[in-house]
Amino acid sequence: MSPDTLKNLNIAVIGAGYAGATAALALGRLGAKVTIYEQAQEVKEVGAGIGLRPSTMDQFRKLGIFDAINAVTSPSDYFEILLAHGQRIAMEEWPEKEAFGATTHFVHRGDFIDTLLRVLPEGILKMNHRLASIIDNGDSATLTFENGVTVNADLVVGADGIRSQVRKHLFSDKAPVFAGEHAYRAVIPAADTFGMVDDGNLRMYVGRGTKIYLLPLLHRKEVSFDITCLATDSTPAPACDRDTLIGMLESFDERLVAITKGLDMRQVNLRAVYDIDPIPSWHSNAVVLIGDAAHAMLHHQGQGANSAVLDAGALADALAEAASVPAALAQFQADRKPVTDELQRLSRQGWSEDEINSVFPNQHQGEIGARS
């Protein structure tokens, strides 16, 4: 689309999470008029860490915010996968490093979203705007919010997460899918982790039905500690039970058990784990889904936030290159959906024994079930 056409484009982004904030920044750099509508009164993230892959860091470089993101992250060279008792299954460098001229960086979720929101242009973010309805007019869309505000937009970007109202109203009313797992997450002092990740690299311990992730945040002198275990209670925010949690760790390294016993359970965030089934289409001629609204996935591949950022960049690229908004949205889906469909599939496998043996076929086949 021509620069003049882009400058006359009025874009409404629904949701101020990773996808929405990055999309607003990328689309604003095209010259479009962009406004983000966020339902909450303030944007908060749970205490946990995530990995930003080289392709994601490269996207931030293209957006001119690499230094801002880099300042709140720690670099990592590799990741390890180990059996519950500590025997190494695999140790690999992060992929994409050479291709994108950056390595994986670890960041606290709160620091990440705070940085993204801080670099947005002043006045672009409207808080306390919960979407009540959306009408697709064909070449535009009309939004009505619970506070009584009505907005007409040439393009609506649904970045409103796994329980997306944009998706529910226009594309799919299927509910999120419970994974049969609970995730316990806490950020703890690095001094409490017995030096297990002092080198700055991710370690994942795998037992029968339980996975423990230690993700170091060296710049904060902290570690993000995540235990994901089998569960039957699909309540989104179940009760946090120390005894049940410790009972899941019977065969694990005694240091991991000691870390768990020392947790302040009031600081532990417990959530039932959900994703969504792939949906046939993410877009109409004037509305498009990105991030978790389009393809919420389980956390086992660590690709949710990365996919959201890459969606934002791909959407901006498509609008810059296509002849019209409908053509851009079609191209965006064609570029991104095959990738995220596969990531959704892989993430559902959750580093099972079969998945580990397929990725690392010559290393300790069969030992996960036998020793954990």
Side-chain angles (χ1 to χ4, degrees):
M1 298 171 65
S2 70
D4 287 342
T5 301
L6 289 168
K7 287 180 181 178
N8 290 323
L9 200 63
N10 181 27
I11 302 176
V13 177
I14 309 302
Y18 311 136
T22 311
L25 185 64
L27 297 171
R29 287 174 63 85
L30 296 178
K33 178 185 177 183
V34 183
T35 306
I36 309 175
Y37 299 93
E38 165 59 39
Q39 65 179 0
Q41 293 185 3
E42 61 178 323
V43 180
K44 289 184 177 180
E45 276 289 351
V46 300
I50 54 176
L52 302 174
R53 301 295 177 87
S55 54
T56 304
M57 296 301 295
D58 184 60
Q59 184 64 59
F60 293 137
R61 183 182 288 118
K62 293 175 182 177
L63 294 176
I65 62 169
F66 182 95
D67 289 345
I69 298 294
N70 186 58
V72 295
T73 66
S74 299
S76 172
D77 295 321
Y78 63 85
F79 65 94
E80 280 190 79
I81 304 175
L82 307 102
L83 298 180
H85 50 77
Q87 184 177 1
R88 181 187 292 162
I89 300 171
M91 178 176 170
E92 298 280 336
E93 286 192 353
W94 293 102
E96 303 181 326
K97 182 176 179 179
E98 296 300 323
F100 293 100
T103 189
T104 290
H105 286 240
F106 296 142
V107 64
H108 187 287
R109 289 175 178 267
D111 293 344
F112 184 32
I113 192 63
D114 286 349
T115 302
L116 288 175
L117 295 180
R118 189 171 63 248
V119 299
L120 290 174
E122 186 175 354
I124 195 174
L125 177 58
K126 307 295 184 184
M127 306 299 294
N128 198 28
H129 280 67
R130 181 184 295 272
L131 187 66
S133 67
I134 176 170
I135 299 173
D136 191 331
N137 304 313
D139 59 354
S140 67
T142 302
L143 306 167
T144 301
F145 298 94
E146 290 185 1
N147 60 9
V149 173
T150 297
V151 172
N152 293 305
D154 301 311
L155 172 61
V156 172
V157 179
D160 49 341
I162 188 171
R163 301 186 188 279
S164 168
Q165 291 301 300
V166 178
R167 183 182 72 240
K168 180 179 178 180
H169 281 294
L170 297 181
F171 299 102
S172 172
D173 61 359
K174 290 180 65 176
V177 179
F178 177 50
E181 293 180 321
H182 285 173
Y184 296 76
R185 295 181 174 127
V187 173
I188 60 178
D192 293 347
T193 60
F194 306 99
M196 296 180 78
V197 286
D198 282 356
D199 58 3
N201 297 303
L202 173 71
R203 285 176 176 83
M204 180 176 71
Y205 291 78
V206 184
R208 183 179 288 118
T210 299
K211 295 165 281 290
I212 300 180
Y213 305 83
L214 289 94
L215 185 148
L217 302 167
L218 295 185
H219 58 293
R220 294 173 60 112
K221 297 181 179 179
E222 293 176 329
V223 173
S224 182
F225 187 63
D226 180 311
I227 300 175
T228 301
C229 53
L230 299 177
T232 57
D233 182 3
S234 62
T235 306
C240 214
D241 185 331
R242 183 192 301 274
D243 292 339
T244 298
L245 181 58
I246 293 174
M248 295 285 184
L249 307 183
E250 182 178 348
S251 63
F252 279 81
D253 186 308
E254 62 183 12
R255 295 172 296 176
L256 298 172
V257 177
I259 292 170
T260 305
K261 288 181 176 179
L263 291 174
D264 180 350
M265 298 304 285
R266 295 170 299 180
Q267 303 301 315
V268 175
N269 180 273
L270 171 58
R271 289 291 183 269
V273 179
Y274 284 84
D275 67 357
I276 64 171
D277 291 326
I279 61 175
S281 179
W282 297 349
H283 72 91
S284 65
N285 285 340
V287 182
V288 65
L289 302 174
I290 67 171
D292 282 355
H295 48 65
M297 58 190 70
L298 303 185
H299 62 284
H300 303 303
Q301 297 290 324
Q303 288 285 11
N306 290 282
S307 295
V309 171
L310 295 180
D311 282 355
L315 178 59
D317 289 345
L319 283 166
E321 295 167 6
S324 66
V325 170
L329 302 188
Q331 186 60 55
F332 164 71
Q333 178 172 307
D335 290 342
R336 292 294 299 156
K337 194 172 190 301
V339 176
T340 59
D341 281 355
E342 178 64 4
L343 288 173
Q344 285 181 292
R345 185 189 70 81
L346 289 173
S347 296
R348 279 189 170 177
Q349 291 183 330
W351 293 111
S352 64
E353 180 180 1
D354 288 343
E355 171 65 3
I356 291 173
N357 286 337
S358 69
V359 175
F360 308 104
N362 299 315
Q363 304 184 56
H364 308 294
Q365 289 210 24
E367 292 186 0
I368 297 172
R371 298 195 180 196
S372 59

